[in-house]
Amino acid sequence: AIKKSQGGGEPMKKEIKELEKVLEIYTIAAHREKAAYEFYKDVAEKVSTEEEKKILLGLAEFEMQHLKLMQSHYEKTLQKIQELQQKR
């Protein structure tokens, strides 16, 4: 019988492809979080009361936290892909 290399072969290629799809999802999510952040910031500048402004800026901050989370997940996933590629 022919042994496969310890590098992982096809299963590793499949895992890398799946992780690359996850990167795409994180990229889309990050763009949407950034757009939502900018939306709330812009609207906060246009409202008439401090209470409304405070609420909208709070929502903007939530979106910024989500954006940072997506970026963190993206970086971790990218690192995992690079580690798998080095094993090939």
Side-chain angles (χ1 to χ4, degrees):
I2 299 172
K3 288 186 175 181
K4 281 192 172 184
S5 69
Q6 291 299 99
E10 290 302 317
M12 190 177 294
K13 283 183 185 178
K14 185 176 180 183
E15 184 176 359
I16 290 170
K17 289 276 188 209
E18 289 173 1
L19 289 172
E20 287 171 342
K21 289 178 186 177
V22 171
L23 283 183
E24 289 179 38
I25 292 166
Y26 287 143
T27 300
I28 293 166
H31 283 103
R32 290 182 179 182
E33 297 294 350
K34 185 176 181 191
Y37 167 81
E38 291 171 356
F39 170 77
Y40 288 126
K41 288 281 284 189
D42 289 345
V43 174
E45 298 294 321
K46 298 172 183 167
V47 295
S48 58
T49 69
E50 283 302 311
E51 184 179 350
E52 291 171 322
K53 186 173 187 171
K54 184 178 176 181
I55 291 168
L56 290 163
L57 291 176
L59 290 170
E61 184 56 35
F62 279 130
E63 300 303 338
M64 181 54 66
Q65 291 171 11
H66 297 157
L67 174 58
K68 289 177 183 177
L69 184 63
M70 290 303 110
Q71 291 169 333
S72 173
H73 287 314
Y74 181 96
E75 291 300 322
K76 289 176 186 174
T77 304
L78 184 59
Q79 184 177 6
K80 176 74 173 169
I81 290 171
Q82 291 167 345
E83 289 169 3
L84 288 170
Q85 288 172 334
Q86 288 174 359
K87 291 179 182 180
R88 290 168 71 179

